[in-house]
Amino acid sequence: MNTLLRQHAEQQFAEELSALKKNETQKIPENWVLSPQSVVTYLMGGKLSDGFEVSPKYIGQRRLMEIAVATLVTDRALLLYGLPGTAKSWVSEHLAAAISGDSTMIVQGTAGTGEESIRYGWNYAKLLAEGPTEAAMVQTPVMRAMREGKIARVEELTRIGSDVQDTLITILSEKSMPIPELDTEVQAIRGFNVIATANNRDKGVNDLSSALKRRFNTVILPLPATIDEEIDIVRRRVESFEKVMELPAEKPALEEIRRIVTIFRELRAGVTEDGKTKLKTPSGTLSTAEAISVMSNGLALSGYFGDGRINASDLVSGIIGAVVKDPVQDKVVWDEYMETVLKTRDGWKDIYRAARDWGE
């Protein structure tokens, strides 16, 4: 059987979830796999009573994860909100895995997402042959989650049209889904809830109605607070990627990760780390997720087209690709950063030379 390119969270971390279950001492809500306290431990990491080490999935404020988990115990849904690359989908997946043991009940929000993606659809061959029956109905992930008492995930909620978003109102307030064609309804059983994610770069696209906002408790996931926190996130995710992909390269040196993260943080903030030089900011977000992508791409280049040791030339194409989204505006930003920061910073001449050579 072929190795999966990416396992679901409940598959990849099955050993940790099993260990948490084995060490469980707190009360578990109905249809939850773990207690709320254990769910937070799964997300934040820690050592269990038998010495088992649980790896952190989210590096940041513990209180944010406690608020998120506490919300899901109640009848309010959870909205994870923030900039692109702040681990909203990652946290959503791991919450569903730890609470329901199943992170796959997911609706991907797009401009084309219709009401039938959230409520239910129809197998039209059966519908024409039999008329509206239970067998002709196509269940959505939300309907399945209601029936099984699990967590449903709605990704990029604000990309969905406002009229379709509002189909969630009855589901979240009444915990039921009317099916007028069959003169019946689906009522949610205990354990059901919804985790939605939204990107604040999409603000104004399809803002949530006030009625729908009231059904959600919003947790804002911030960018990593410190450079060391962001470096740790990038290191862990890159090492995981390298292991899965079996790249023929050495583990990335922390110094290379630090340089990527420093570049991204300075350009995001519009000022150098020491606060002495103001910078223009690019049009992109330069998120932690993009830093992970740059490092992973650099590892592939060094493993397959280099000596296996990652260096500046392996990284610079990814850096420029992340920074220069607009070939006119962002090129000016990057050129200025090269000449005022990279060129003059001690120990960074290799990146400056690689970047200059790339642009020639």
Side-chain angles (χ1 to χ4, degrees), residues 242-268:
E242 186 181 20
K243 182 179 178 182
V244 170
M245 299 305 294
E246 299 179 344
L247 296 177
E250 295 179 359
K251 283 186 178 180
L254 272 179
E255 185 53 37
E256 297 302 339
I257 296 176
R258 179 174 289 276
R259 295 205 291 184
I260 297 295
V261 171
T262 299
I263 290 169
F264 279 27
R265 288 178 72 89
E266 288 182 332
L267 286 171
R268 276 200 314 251

Side-chain angles (χ1 to χ4, degrees), residues 2 11 13 15 17 67 84 93 102 114 117 138 160 199 202 214 219-220 241 306 312 339 356:
N2 292 333
Q11 298 170 321
F13 296 97
E15 185 182 7
L17 291 167
I67 293 168
E93 179 183 1
D102 185 351
S117 299
V138 177
I160 301 173
N199 178 344
D202 292 334
R214 289 196 301 273
V219 172
I220 298 173
F241 170 83
E339 297 301 325
R356 186 190 58 195

Side-chain angles (χ1 to χ4, degrees), residues 167-188:
T167 60
L168 284 168
I169 291 175
T170 301
I171 294 169
L172 297 181
S173 59
E174 305 297 329
K175 308 302 178 191
S176 67
M177 183 188 295
I179 308 174
E181 295 92 339
L182 301 181
D183 193 25
T184 186
E185 65 179 359
V186 172
Q187 289 184 288

Side-chain angles (χ1 to χ4, degrees), residues 10-29:
E10 60 271 21
Q11 298 170 321
Q12 186 178 356
F13 296 97
E15 185 182 7
E16 292 188 9
L17 291 167
S18 176
L20 283 160
K21 180 72 174 175
K22 180 182 173 184
N23 285 267
E24 189 65 79
T25 59
Q26 305 293 329
K27 183 179 178 182
I28 300 175

Side-chain angles (χ1 to χ4, degrees), residues 242 247-252 294-315:
E242 186 181 20
L247 296 177
E250 295 179 359
K251 283 186 178 180
V294 169
M295 286 303 306
S296 300
N297 186 65
L299 281 171
L301 282 171
S302 68
Y304 291 109
F305 303 104
D307 61 5
R309 289 175 293 182
I310 198 164
N311 57 45
S313 63
D314 297 321
L315 296 173

Side-chain angles (χ1 to χ4, degrees), residues 6 15 85-86 90 128-129 136 162 174 191-192 239 283 291 306 318-319 340:
R6 185 189 186 281
E15 185 182 7
T86 47
W90 178 256
L128 290 171
S162 300
E174 305 297 329
F192 166 72
E239 286 180 0
S283 60
I319 296 170
T340 59

Side-chain angles (χ1 to χ4, degrees), residues 70 131 134 146 189 282 313:
E134 181 81 23
M146 293 176 74
I189 67 171
S313 63

